[in-house]
Amino acid sequence: QVQLVESGGGLVQTGGSLRLSCEASGGTFSMGWFRQAPGKEREFVASLTRFGSGTHYADSVKGRFTISRDNAKNTVFLQMNSLKPEDTAVYCCAASSLFAAQTDSRNYFAWGQGTEVTVSS
């Protein structure tokens, strides 16, 4: 059984940084980060392949966010820099059994509970 546990969320001012972590148990998979802001649909943020060779980013976070992984620690990271109020959301990590980095949430089979990120203006 795959379990995903996120951490690292919090309150930060505009322009600040946070690093989210997602610890996975039960295997090594292609991973993704998604977010859902209040009153909005869940949206794709970033993803990477099982060994980190391929990544995808949403246009809204390109150049500001970096997804990476440490397979020795079964952990995936999302480094978020230059944060904006519109980045405020609950961030969830997810696991996919497909080889390529996935942007569609339907291609993920396991999800964490999420960690909340609030960016104050």
Side-chain angles (χ1 to χ4, degrees), residues 46-106:
S47 61
L48 84 169
T49 53
R50 190 169 304 183
F51 298 105
S53 59
T55 58
H56 276 301
Y57 293 93
D59 288 343
S60 58
V61 306
K62 279 181 182 176
R64 300 188 299 123
F65 291 10
T66 302
I67 189 171
S68 62
R69 66 191 305 157
D70 182 345
N71 284 347
K73 298 180 179 179
N74 294 319
T75 302
V76 176
F77 305 98
L78 185 68
Q79 178 66 44
M80 306 187 297
N81 299 328
S82 302
L83 283 162
K84 305 174 182 180
E86 51 263 44
D87 294 318
T88 295
V90 175
Y91 285 71
C92 294
C93 64
S96 171
S97 60
L98 299 177
F99 177 80
Q102 302 297 311
T103 62
D104 189 336
S105 63
R106 294 171 295 181

Side-chain angles (χ1 to χ4, degrees), residues 1-5 23-26 110-111:
Q1 183 177 0
V2 176
Q3 291 189 322
L4 306 175
V5 179
E23 186 170 351
S25 61
W111 294 81

